[in-house]
Amino acid sequence: MFRHTKFLQFEAKPERPDPYYARKLQELIGGAYGEMTVTMQYLFQGWNCRIEGKYKDLIMDTATEEIGHVEMLATMVARLLEGAPATATAEAAQDPVMAAVLGGMDPQQAIVSGGGAVPADSNGTPWNGKYIVASGNLLADFRANAAAEAQGRLQTARLYNMTEDPGVKEMLKFNLARDTVHQKQWLRAIEELQADGLESDIAPGALLDEEDQTHNNTIWHLSDGPDGNKGTWSSGEDRIEYLMDPKPLGGPGSAPKPAPELYVTYAANGSGNGSTAAEPAELAEGDVETFYADGRWKNQVVGNSRASSTGDTKAEAQAEGRELARKRGVAHVVRRKDGEIAERHEYGR
């Protein structure tokens, strides 16, 4: 249940009307990082929270405050639009001063909302529920919340420098302060989730043993910038390895043969210049296969009668198989449990 109090959380009175600035202020209402976004983001996070107590209460307290922020900004927009032209716009536009006012004003504020705020951004794009993040994982959500408050404060700071109206500035000073404290609370809540043993550094903390261990601590140097490996992330005992010359691990990204009913342009014998497209090569002696048998994941060199290695998980066996194929300069095939080939990588051929 929600109850509305007929007083604003902070005063929203401009010194004078300014339809042009009213349009700019719409970004803080219905933009991707506006108050409507954090309102709905926190509400759904709170409603979806599976832990009663401090975390859920913090989320719901903040969510309800954000409803008040929407009201406060909408009130400011309506007051900035006071006296904005409502009729005879064609004749009014002939006056250079009035034309300038109309040129900056959002017509939706006059046509649709009758001189009030609209649930849209500063370009009139309607607010979208896809802006919100409410995953149910509090670590991932709180990180998204801190980022949303950072972006919201950044935009508020920019708008603060776009007005000289003392009344508007006073309200934005309050908004800046609330964005500051909300960033601090989410960052501290993240620390507390970890202290309480509910989450770790990585979200989610599951499947860390299942993931490909070869690739969970490397950064690929894939741009011309040479200095990515000079940060603290790539030094010290817990450094992330910087791969300065990474190689592609997959084959050509070719789509499969299309269904005839789709009428996709397709040459059965290969490319359009008459050359024949190469079909996936058969496994040759010496290639490496990763497959599932007898309750274990195994690696075996084609031509050998016994497996070279086994692993408890597919990721573990796959990493060992890949390394074996690299050393031998051969193909590495990974099969699903049903025996069908899921991946094929060539090393050295």
Side-chain angles (χ1 to χ4, degrees), residues 155-217:
Q155 294 180 358
T156 302
R158 289 170 175 167
L159 280 161
Y160 181 84
N161 291 319
M162 293 180 186
T163 181
E164 296 301 326
D165 189 300
V168 176
K169 278 185 171 289
E170 284 303 309
M171 183 196 73
L172 293 181
K173 287 179 184 179
F174 177 81
N175 288 7
L176 287 167
R178 300 311 296 166
D179 289 341
T180 295
V181 74
H182 289 164
Q183 286 187 58
K184 291 193 294 186
Q185 75 180 42
W186 297 127
L187 292 173
R188 292 183 186 180
I190 289 169
E191 294 176 357
E192 190 139 341
L193 280 171
Q194 296 170 324
D196 288 345
L198 295 172
E199 295 291 345
S200 60
D201 288 335
I202 304 299
L207 301 179
L208 293 176
D209 293 333
E210 293 290 322
E211 68 189 26
D212 191 329
Q213 303 299 310
T214 307
H215 300 291
N216 63 5
N217 202 49

Side-chain angles (χ1 to χ4, degrees), residues 21-292:
Y21 193 79
R23 177 174 183 172
K24 294 179 181 180
L25 207 57
Q26 280 286 157
E27 193 66 34
L28 298 187
I29 296 176
Y33 298 103
E35 302 290 357
M36 287 183 63
T37 293
V38 288
T39 294
M40 299 308 296
Q41 181 156 308
Y42 302 161
L43 283 173
F44 275 90
Q45 286 180 10
W47 293 329
N48 293 341
C49 183
R50 303 304 203 273
I51 304 176
E52 295 294 335
K54 59 185 178 182
Y55 295 113
K56 184 164 187 171
D57 289 356
L58 176 66
I59 298 169
M60 292 304 299
D61 283 341
T62 313
T64 309
E65 177 183 353
E66 300 293 4
I67 300 175
H69 290 186
V70 177
E71 180 184 33
M72 186 169 61
L73 285 164
T75 301
M76 178 64 84
V77 165
R79 290 171 176 173
L80 285 167
L81 290 170
E82 183 181 3
T87 59
T89 55
E91 292 80 359
Q94 296 174 10
D95 180 338
V97 176
M98 189 59 71
V101 172
L102 288 171
M105 179 181 174
D106 184 357
Q108 292 277 305
Q109 291 171 331
I111 299 169
V112 175
S113 63
V118 292
D121 65 14
S122 53
N123 278 330
T125 305
W127 181 81
N128 193 323
K130 286 292 184 181
Y131 295 155
I132 76 165
V133 176
S135 69
N137 181 287
L138 293 185
L139 176 60
D141 285 352
F142 288 176
R143 284 177 173 166
N145 295 352
E149 294 288 350
Q151 292 290 345
R153 191 177 191 281
L154 175 62
Q155 294 180 358
T156 302
R158 289 170 175 167
L159 280 161
Y160 181 84
N161 291 319
M162 293 180 186
T163 181
E164 296 301 326
D165 189 300
V168 176
K169 278 185 171 289
E170 284 303 309
M171 183 196 73
L172 293 181
K173 287 179 184 179
F174 177 81
N175 288 7
L176 287 167
R178 300 311 296 166
D179 289 341
T180 295
V181 74
H182 289 164
Q183 286 187 58
K184 291 193 294 186
Q185 75 180 42
W186 297 127
L187 292 173
R188 292 183 186 180
I190 289 169
E191 294 176 357
E192 190 139 341
L193 280 171
Q194 296 170 324
D196 288 345
L198 295 172
E199 295 291 345
S200 60
D201 288 335
I202 304 299
L207 301 179
L208 293 176
D209 293 333
E210 293 290 322
E211 68 189 26
D212 191 329
Q213 303 299 310
T214 307
H215 300 291
N216 63 5
N217 202 49
T218 57
I219 299 172
W220 288 33
H221 172 62
L222 295 172
S223 71
D224 290 338
D227 297 330
N229 64 341
K230 295 181 180 178
T232 56
W233 50 82
S234 61
S235 62
E237 292 184 3
D238 59 346
R239 72 186 184 93
I240 303 174
E241 181 184 1
Y242 221 98
L243 301 181
M244 296 305 294
D245 188 26
K247 304 297 183 185
L249 303 179
S254 303
K257 178 181 177 180
E261 295 80 6
L262 296 177
Y263 309 110
V264 174
T265 303
Y266 173 72
N269 65 338
S271 64
N273 61 9
S275 63
T276 302
E279 293 295 328
E282 295 293 330
L283 284 176
E285 189 165 328
D287 288 343
V288 177
E289 288 186 281
T290 300
F291 59 95
Y292 187 79

